[in-house]
Amino acid sequence: GGSDSGYLSVSGQLRDIKGFNIAPTGFENDGTRLATLGLRGGVTLSPDAKIDFSLKHTEKRASYDGFGLDYVTPAAIKPFQTADDADNVLRQKQTLAGVRLSWNSFDGALTQEFKGTYSRDLSVNRETGIVGTPWYAPGVVNSRDESKRPTYG
């Protein structure tokens, strides 16, 4: 909510799913958790100038089973084996932010803006496989992307 002099809005979401096991063998459930926080606001600095900002942060965690060669499942069950009960985990974080300063000149005949944006993505994927098999190789794959961009117009 807000008024002519300023406004502020905060939002949040949380989704937590306990999941289930898709592997014919094993017992661990593969759940997902998604959380998002949002923030928007603005202030009127003068009748001809204002500043606005926004921020959004999201975090996700997902567990999943692996698919691959299976040296553990008994031969009688193998034709039905579709997934192994690996403890694989994907974690992702994303942050997006922006700020805008705008002002009028020459009695409103010219409006100018300065904008700045920021984004950051981080992803961590841990795949393990099944302990005791040739495919067991604990590993972590990281991915990171970050950008900043100012513009004037």
Side-chain angles (χ1 to χ4, degrees):
S3 65
D4 290 338
S5 60
Y7 67 96
L8 182 65
S9 172
V10 178
S11 64
Q13 287 182 321
L14 175 63
R15 188 167 120 175
D16 193 3
I17 301 170
K18 299 301 178 197
F20 51 89
N21 184 20
I22 65 167
T25 59
F27 56 87
E28 57 96 15
N29 292 334
D30 298 312
T32 300
R33 182 180 179 96
L34 178 63
T36 302
L37 176 66
L39 180 67
R40 291 181 65 113
V43 175
T44 301
L45 303 172
S46 74
D48 290 317
K50 65 181 181 175
I51 188 167
D52 300 292
F53 67 90
S54 64
L55 172 70
K56 186 173 185 177
H57 181 76
T58 302
E59 292 192 17
K60 177 172 87 172
R61 181 187 189 280
S63 299
Y64 61 96
D65 290 326
F67 293 86
L69 295 178
D70 181 4
Y71 295 96
V72 177
T73 306
I77 299 176
K78 268 193 183 183
F80 306 105
Q81 182 76 8
T82 57
D84 59 51
D85 200 25
D87 187 24
N88 300 327
V89 178
L90 171 66
R91 286 191 171 95
Q92 294 177 318
K93 294 181 182 181
Q94 183 182 54
T95 303
L96 304 170
V99 64
R100 179 181 68 183
L101 173 64
S102 60
W103 63 96
N104 295 325
S105 302
F106 307 111
D107 291 326
L110 177 65
T111 300
Q112 300 177 73
E113 289 187 347
F114 176 78
K115 296 180 190 177
T117 59
Y118 171 81
S119 69
R120 178 176 175 244
D121 295 304
L122 176 64
S123 191
V124 177
N125 192 10
R126 186 196 73 200
E127 292 188 353
T128 58
I130 300 178
V131 177
T133 68
W135 293 98
Y136 180 70
V140 176
V141 178
N142 292 322
S143 170
R144 183 182 184 126
D145 182 31
E146 192 169 11
S147 70
K148 301 170 191 99
R149 182 178 171 195
T151 57
Y152 172 77

